[in-house]
Amino acid sequence: MTLGKGASVAMIIDAHNHLLDEPNYTEHFLRGMDACGIDKCCLSGLGKLFGFAENEDVRKAFTAHPDRLIGQIFVRPGVDGSELIDRGADEGFRMVKITVPRVPYDDPSLYPLWERALARNMPVLFHTGIIAPFVEGRGEGISSWHMHPMRIEHITREFPDLPVIVAHLGVNWNQDAAELARMRPNLYVDLTGEPGGWRDRADRFGMDTWLWWPDAFKKVIFGTDVHYTKLQIVLDQDLARFDNLKIDEETRAGCLSGTILRLLGEE
């Protein structure tokens, strides 16, 4: 896979994507990965609230394709307990995906979740920023304010050995997410999102407006978080961004696979 300007890397891993509740989605997704040269994907389901598959569907997918898919178990804080993380680890899930908590991320009642993720050596991917679930309605307790990036700072301090990934560079809180990545050694960010969404706005300003310090992209992990039909678009945008910002080959390789492999214990 060419990274731009003649550079190359042995592997590309999409560290943030989802299994949708569509017929034969796994097979379509794998073909989409093949078409754009993505070797592996870290995959989760978010259930009916988002029109996605369930954890059990994800387990079946990565069990059937262990060389291509890495399982992320979806845990909803304030609804699911830490035993779900243990069960997921026992079933072969390698990461934890967190979103739509019933209470803020930094609520002490959620400590058991982070303790179990750390004990089972599972990096935690947090949604941050405003969110648009598939199902709206009273009683779900959804608040984007619960998912402000700064609520994750406390977790990184209480659990300094827990690898944490802040999704979407905070969406609407880019500066806060980026500064956390700069200051907190166990915190990383991804730049995932729909074409035409927050990424377009950020690129108009220049992504280095927020990721401004030397080696900032060493804290960036590649992911897409899009339908399989849009994988190529997001990958091409990221490769073009590397070129525009003159990101060196070693850093590109870390973004595209090296860093997530290290967090998964495969360095």
Side-chain angles (χ1 to χ4, degrees), residues 141-154:
I142 296 173
S143 169
S144 297
W145 191 242
H146 288 348
M147 300 177 283
H148 193 293
M150 294 305 294
R151 295 193 181 277
I152 300 173
E153 178 193 15
H154 179 70

Side-chain angles (χ1 to χ4, degrees), residues 1 3 8-13 37 39-40 253 256-258 261 266:
M1 164 59 66
L3 302 190
S8 62
V9 68
M11 181 177 291
I12 296 180
I13 300 177
D39 298 279
K40 295 188 178 185
L256 291 170
S257 62
L261 285 174
E266 298 185 14

Side-chain angles (χ1 to χ4, degrees), residues 203-215:
D203 283 332
R204 289 177 188 177
F205 285 98
M207 197 71 77
D208 55 345
T209 300
W210 298 283
L211 298 166
W212 57 267
W213 65 97
D215 294 331

Side-chain angles (χ1 to χ4, degrees), residues 83-217:
E83 67 278 359
L84 181 56
I85 294 177
D86 278 324
R87 190 178 79 198
D90 291 341
E91 292 178 345
F93 286 86
R94 303 280 305 282
M95 296 177 63
V96 180
K97 165 64 179 179
I98 299 291
T99 189
V100 289
R102 289 276 188 171
V103 295
Y105 282 152
D106 55 1
D107 193 294
S109 69
L110 304 182
Y111 277 19
L113 296 178
W114 324 136
E115 289 168 353
R116 294 319 301 158
L118 177 59
R120 302 307 294 260
N121 299 311
M122 300 171 79
V124 182
L125 171 63
F126 287 88
H127 173 85
T128 58
I130 195 165
I131 197 165
F134 184 76
V135 177
E136 296 280 3
R138 297 182 62 182
E140 287 295 341
I142 296 173
S143 169
S144 297
W145 191 242
H146 288 348
M147 300 177 283
H148 193 293
M150 294 305 294
R151 295 193 181 277
I152 300 173
E153 178 193 15
H154 179 70
I155 298 170
T156 68
R157 294 182 184 279
E158 292 294 319
F159 303 91
D161 296 322
L162 177 66
V164 167
I165 304 169
V166 170
H168 318 301
L169 195 67
V171 181
N172 49 310
W173 293 306
N174 300 137
Q175 182 173 352
D176 295 308
E179 291 299 320
L180 279 175
R182 185 173 73 91
M183 298 297 294
R184 302 305 304 151
N186 57 324
L187 187 145
Y188 301 81
V189 298
D190 73 34
L191 309 181
T192 57
E194 288 285 331
W198 78 269
R199 288 158 53 96
D200 280 11
R201 171 183 54 78
D203 283 332
R204 289 177 188 177
F205 285 98
M207 197 71 77
D208 55 345
T209 300
W210 298 283
L211 298 166
W212 57 267
W213 65 97
D215 294 331
F217 272 76

